[in-house]
Amino acid sequence: MKNLLARYAEGMDRFSVFIGQGCSILFFACIAISAAEVVMRYGFDAPTVWSTETAMTLCAAAWVLSVGFVTERNRHISITMLELVVGERIWRIFRLAQLVIAFGAVLVLTMALWKPAMKVLSRTEYSGTAFNSIQPTIFKVLIVVGCVLYLAQLIANIIRWFQRTEKASSSGH
């Protein structure tokens, strides 16, 4: 069982890194679209109706989908001063509490978002702007996908927390 959990954690880590690094192309595309809009608007006095919504969609998609990568790297906003004050042992307990609380909160969020996401898959929603994209549909589905990725990575991080605790206790620390 330990081997299976370790393989899950390692596989999830690799998957999160792959998705996170892959999302970098979405940020690059957003920059390219924004630059093209500046040239079109100010260089040719011909602004586009699609660039703002497309850039927002790309950035939001990259942000939501890369949550597993950020979680795998433990790069969320953290109060590091507290780590220095309480010491390593207590901080590890705080870290586990944070992982468990985050899992519970994201699970509740996922359950709340599930029905609206399934609804837009059967009836597409449009933005109502001049471009009238399917941005609301994309966002509702992507947020659920991001939550699932986040939950999967939190499980991997919890597994690793217990593995590190086991290693520390077996080595006499």
Side-chain angles (χ1 to χ4, degrees):
M1 183 65 163
K2 286 182 186 179
N3 191 27
L4 180 64
L5 293 174
R7 286 192 310 171
Y8 168 80
E10 289 170 15
M12 193 60 224
D13 288 349
R14 284 193 303 273
F15 185 69
S16 290
V17 169
F18 175 77
I19 295 293
Q21 290 175 343
C23 284
S24 64
I25 193 73
L26 298 177
F27 286 119
F28 180 75
C30 178
I31 291 167
I33 288 169
S34 298
E37 171 61 16
V38 168
V39 170
M40 293 301 295
R41 177 178 301 265
Y42 298 108
F44 299 105
D45 198 26
T48 65
V49 296
W50 56 269
S51 64
T52 302
E53 254 179 87
T54 304
M56 282 179 19
T57 303
L58 291 171
C59 280
W63 184 77
V64 167
L65 293 175
S66 63
V67 70
F69 177 73
V70 172
T71 303
E72 186 269 339
R73 301 291 163 115
N74 295 316
R75 302 302 294 172
H76 288 286
I77 296 171
S78 178
I79 304 171
T80 54
M81 182 188 84
L82 192 57
E83 181 179 3
L84 299 172
V85 171
V86 298
E88 186 178 333
R89 186 171 170 264
I90 300 297
W91 182 254
R92 284 193 43 73
I93 294 167
F94 283 179
R95 178 78 179 125
L96 179 61
Q98 179 266 325
L99 290 168
V100 171
I101 291 167
F103 185 87
V106 175
L107 182 62
V108 169
L109 178 64
T110 306
M111 293 182 335
L113 296 172
W114 184 263
K115 191 174 180 180
M118 294 303 108
K119 185 177 176 183
V120 298
L121 288 175
S122 64
R123 193 191 81 223
T124 305
E125 293 181 8
Y126 297 89
S127 64
T129 63
F131 185 44
N132 204 29
S133 72
I134 61 168
Q135 186 183 50
T137 299
I138 292 169
F139 285 163
K140 286 181 180 180
V141 173
L142 274 182
I143 291 172
V144 170
V145 170
C147 284
V148 170
L149 291 171
Y150 194 5
L151 289 169
Q153 187 59 53
L154 283 168
I155 291 169
N157 286 8
I158 290 169
I159 290 168
R160 272 200 317 285
W161 187 93
F162 282 104
Q163 288 172 337
R164 288 181 186 130
T165 301
E166 188 177 281
K167 282 181 185 178
S169 65
S170 67
S171 67
H173 286 72

